[in-house]
Amino acid sequence: MLGDIGGTNARFAVLPGPGEPVHLLPRALTAQAPGPVEAIGAALESHDGPRPRSAIFAVATRVDRPAIRLTNAHWTIDAAEIGTALGLERVSLVNDYTPVAASVTVLDEARGDVAPLGEAGPAGSGIRVVLGPGTGFGAAALVPIEDRLAILATEAGHMEFGPADSEEMALWPHIERVGGRVTAEVVLSGPGLFRLSKALAAKRGLPCPFNVPNDILDAARDGDGLARDTLDLFSRCLGRFAGDLALTFEAAGGVFIAGGIAPRMVDVLQGGGFRHAFDRKAPHDAWARKVPAFVIVHREPALEGLAALVAHPGRFLYKSQGWERD
């Protein structure tokens, strides 16, 4: 059993065996299900094959114990509870960006799984970074160590994020704080997209006509000026932070943007603002321009990454928590 459990959606699949195709199951909305046991049980009702014997779930929070609460939803993911309820032999929990990092080893640009941002060329075999705005903001690094790949899950989304020029400095007082802070996740997420639009409207002395992040994406396609300006600002901020993470990890192998928002605004990200901000890294701007960057447009990269983790257990090193039946 494979699961990608985020603040908004929980996606499930079954992997019958190593190298076999992933069988997708119906997804659940975390706000509409009492908890993971009920959501997993409902998803398995549509599966007519053998019941899974084990499970691995990618969870949108720090994974430091076998029972954890999601950062942006009310679910508690308890490996022992899930394993006992569903009659499993073993349940493993990993950070949600651990399998996204693993997925870049199986995704293929020629197959249309990723879309390039800029002209830096194909991904390399060096360190690669994955990051993404969704309900929250996730990030991880894929680091080659001899003949294996170590996956370093991070909480980079909770790093402070500040203005970079006079225009942003004038905007920043209008941005809603969360816990008294402006972090990357506060602005680079679905709720962050909405915060940016409200801040831009407030700075201009106008009411914000949007109610949810999807309104902004839809309005931008219809030519709305505030919505398009919001996406342009979001793109520049995302490029700046992605470039910072590339510098942090010396990710010469490439940077991959995942999450639910980026695939819906690929044209904006390819329009130039993202790459300009990504490359503006003096004194290392010449290096940054050589780092390839992509948007992951594959629908389920985390599930494909989870399949890679369990099919090739000797290839990857990563942190996990879990439960096994006695």
Side-chain angles (χ1 to χ4, degrees):
M1 181 85 184
L2 311 175
D4 175 24
I5 302 175
T8 301
N9 295 295
R11 298 173 173 87
F12 301 109
V14 171
L15 181 66
E20 297 190 39
V22 172
H23 293 179
L24 298 179
L25 303 177
R27 71 175 183 175
L29 296 175
T30 53
Q32 295 181 3
V37 170
E38 293 83 0
I40 296 166
L44 282 171
E45 289 178 2
S46 68
H47 179 57
D48 57 6
R51 297 280 291 189
R53 297 192 306 271
S54 62
I56 181 169
F57 299 113
V59 185
T61 189
R62 173 177 292 180
V63 178
D64 54 7
R65 54 191 183 278
I68 47 180
R69 186 176 176 87
L70 293 179
T71 301
N72 293 303
H74 69 282
W75 283 10
T76 294
I77 316 297
D78 186 325
E81 179 186 22
I82 293 170
T84 301
L86 300 178
L88 300 171
E89 297 173 5
R90 182 176 68 256
V91 177
S92 299
L93 307 180
V94 297
N95 177 270
D96 60 330
Y97 265 71
T98 294
V100 178
S103 78
V104 304
T105 67
V106 295
L107 298 181
D108 186 352
E109 183 178 358
R111 199 170 55 214
D113 294 335
V114 299
L117 298 175
E119 300 178 353
S125 59
I127 296 173
R128 285 162 279 181
V129 165
V130 294
L131 59 128
T135 305
F137 186 96
L142 186 70
V143 183
I145 300 177
E146 296 180 348
D147 61 343
R148 305 181 76 179
L149 295 168
I151 300 175
L152 307 178
T154 80
E155 291 295 332
H158 299 291
M159 294 165 56
E160 300 282 355
F161 191 84
D165 55 33
S166 59
E167 178 185 349
E168 291 182 8
M169 288 177 185
L171 180 68
W172 237 244
H174 300 285
I175 293 179
E176 174 192 358
R177 268 62 177 164
V178 176
R181 305 173 69 211
V182 176
T183 64
E185 182 171 284
V186 166
V187 294
L188 297 175
S189 61
L193 188 64
F194 189 45
R195 292 185 186 102
L196 289 178
S197 71
K198 289 194 296 182
L200 280 172
K203 180 175 176 289
R204 298 171 182 180
L206 301 172
C208 181
F210 312 122
N211 295 310
V212 294
N214 282 343
D215 292 346
I216 301 164
L217 292 162
D218 293 340
R221 282 193 291 270
D222 294 335
D224 181 88
L226 176 62
R228 294 177 66 174
D229 289 347
T230 300
L231 293 189
D232 287 342
L233 175 61
F234 186 90
S235 177
R236 295 196 304 272
C237 289
L238 182 60
R240 186 165 86 241
F241 196 69
D244 287 344
L245 290 184
L247 276 177
T248 299
F249 289 100
E250 293 194 2
V255 172
F256 296 78
I257 312 298
I261 297 173
R264 300 179 61 189
M265 53 179 291
V266 173
D267 57 334
V268 178
L269 295 172
Q270 290 178 328
F274 173 95
R275 192 72 219 198
H276 176 76
F278 185 100
D279 295 343
R280 192 169 177 265
K281 297 299 173 191
H284 300 295
D285 47 353
W287 176 87
R289 284 194 293 270
K290 297 177 183 178
V291 176
F294 307 87
V295 177
I296 296 176
V297 295
H298 188 285
R299 291 185 60 188
E300 303 293 353
L303 295 178
E304 293 294 338
L306 288 170
L309 291 177
V310 298
H312 306 284
R315 188 181 186 192
F316 299 98
L317 297 167
Y318 58 94
K319 177 182 176 182
S320 68
Q321 294 284 335
W323 167 89
E324 290 193 43
R325 184 178 298 280
D326 294 333

